[in-house]
Amino acid sequence: MPLFYIGIGANFGEPQAAFDLAWRLLAQHPQIELQKRSGLYSTSPVGQHAGGTFTNGVFSLQSDLSPLSLLDILQEIETEIGRTRTIRWGPRPIDLDLLYIDQLILNEVRLTVPHPAAWYRKFVVDPLIEIAPDLRHPVFQESVVQLRDRLSPRPLTVATLGPLPDKTRAADFRQRFSNVEVVDETNPGTLPAVYVRLNDADVQVPTWKGVPVADLTQSPGDAFQRLTDFLVAVLDSPIRIANW
């Protein structure tokens, strides 16, 4: 049976109680075999409407359900625990994201696997390394450890496919992200850790010159907000707060 990796998070209510309930509900399903789960981490909120600090973790399960059938089950559990989808990337009592399914690559209207942001969001990467350090990204063909290490150097060089948003020149942006060098793709001699695609007009490829591309075109906000949210997610330092 395929191995599914699920991200779990919450930032209001009682996150660990919600996680425990989700685990029990999944355990009751006859076609689901729960496997490993990471510890719980305190992580920075991503998005201007995300609210306060999150609690995040990752777990794995095996199932012969189709990806979309499992997605339906995860969303039913979210609803049962009290999640509503009124604000995109808003506060939530629980979030269950399908991150990876072995080496499957899937692009459906409702589901993209691997999750487009799973490889660079530290609130996913750090707990995932606990339970599956050798898991390889099926598009980039690097392990989750290698992808984490790619984004670890400071200063971190990030190149945009297309023009830089004007606000990246502002003093407050440069102060907030002083350990990052954000350049555009045309900079000669640039060896970025990663590229980011901010606009639909940019090159539509998963990698560019052999370097992973973070496709941010579906993220909320304008190009500047998308870039800001990306940097917050990459630069976060999750703190392990509990076993789970």
Side-chain angles (χ1 to χ4, degrees), residues 5 17 21 26-27 39 47 52 105 147 154 166 170 176 188:
Y5 293 91
L21 176 55
L26 287 167
I105 299 173
L147 289 167
R154 301 292 182 267
D166 289 340
R176 181 180 184 186

Side-chain angles (χ1 to χ4, degrees), residues 98-140:
L98 223 170
L99 305 174
Y100 293 90
I101 308 172
D102 287 333
Q103 291 295 289
L104 179 67
I105 299 173
L106 181 66
N107 288 289
E108 300 278 355
V109 173
R110 294 182 56 215
L111 179 64
T112 299
V113 178
H115 189 292
W119 63 275
Y120 65 76
R121 287 177 171 172
K122 286 295 296 299
F123 62 81
V124 170
V125 173
D126 283 13
L128 187 59
I129 285 173
E130 267 197 57
I131 66 169
D134 298 324
L135 176 65
R136 296 187 72 79
H137 192 288
V139 177
F140 304 140

Side-chain angles (χ1 to χ4, degrees), residues 44-47 153-158 165 167-183 223-236:
S44 299
V46 176
R154 301 292 182 267
L156 179 71
T157 303
V158 175
K167 293 181 182 178
T168 59
R169 300 179 180 86
D172 56 348
F173 178 86
R174 293 183 178 278
Q175 181 177 6
R176 181 180 184 186
F177 300 114
S178 60
N179 54 356
V180 178
E181 183 182 8
V182 182
V183 300
F224 179 74
Q225 185 63 51
R226 293 169 181 177
L227 178 60
T228 298
D229 292 343
F230 168 81
L231 293 175
V232 170
V234 167
L235 299 175
D236 191 25

Side-chain angles (χ1 to χ4, degrees), residues 12-220:
F12 75 81
E14 298 184 14
Q16 187 157 355
F19 296 174
D20 289 342
L21 176 55
W23 185 265
R24 291 196 302 272
L25 292 171
L26 287 167
Q28 294 169 8
H29 196 286
Q31 291 174 268
I32 291 175
E33 295 180 10
L34 294 171
Q35 301 292 316
K36 297 180 180 180
R37 57 186 184 182
S38 73
L40 300 180
Y41 290 74
S42 176
T43 68
S44 299
V46 176
Q48 56 185 329
H49 303 300
T53 300
F54 273 78
T55 300
N56 286 98
V58 167
F59 63 92
S60 58
L61 60 85
Q62 284 188 300
S63 179
D64 57 7
L65 291 166
S66 71
L68 289 176
S69 294
L70 181 60
L71 177 65
D72 287 339
I73 291 168
L74 296 176
Q75 291 182 344
E76 287 167 5
I77 290 173
E78 289 178 335
T79 299
E80 182 169 343
I81 293 175
R83 178 169 181 183
T84 58
R85 289 174 169 79
T86 54
I87 302 175
R88 192 176 181 203
W89 288 19
R92 67 214 73 169
I94 193 164
D95 191 14
L96 293 165
D97 282 333
L98 223 170
L99 305 174
Y100 293 90
I101 308 172
D102 287 333
Q103 291 295 289
L104 179 67
I105 299 173
L106 181 66
N107 288 289
E108 300 278 355
V109 173
R110 294 182 56 215
L111 179 64
T112 299
V113 178
H115 189 292
W119 63 275
Y120 65 76
R121 287 177 171 172
K122 286 295 296 299
F123 62 81
V124 170
V125 173
D126 283 13
L128 187 59
I129 285 173
E130 267 197 57
I131 66 169
D134 298 324
L135 176 65
R136 296 187 72 79
H137 192 288
V139 177
F140 304 140
Q141 286 304 304
E142 293 185 2
S143 71
V144 290
V145 171
Q146 290 173 314
L147 289 167
R148 188 270 315 273
D149 291 345
R150 171 183 287 281
L151 295 167
S152 296
R154 301 292 182 267
L156 179 71
T157 303
V158 175
T160 61
L161 291 173
L164 285 169
D166 289 340
K167 293 181 182 178
T168 59
R169 300 179 180 86
D172 56 348
F173 178 86
R174 293 183 178 278
Q175 181 177 6
R176 181 180 184 186
F177 300 114
S178 60
N179 54 356
V180 178
E181 183 182 8
V182 182
V183 300
D184 64 51
E185 195 275 328
T186 60
N187 275 46
T190 297
L191 295 173
V194 64
Y195 288 99
V196 295
R197 176 173 172 252
L198 300 171
N199 301 303
D200 291 337
D202 298 333
V203 180
Q204 299 186 41
V205 291
T207 63
W208 183 247
K209 299 182 179 179
V211 177
V213 175
D215 187 347
L216 310 181
T217 57
Q218 301 305 309
S219 300

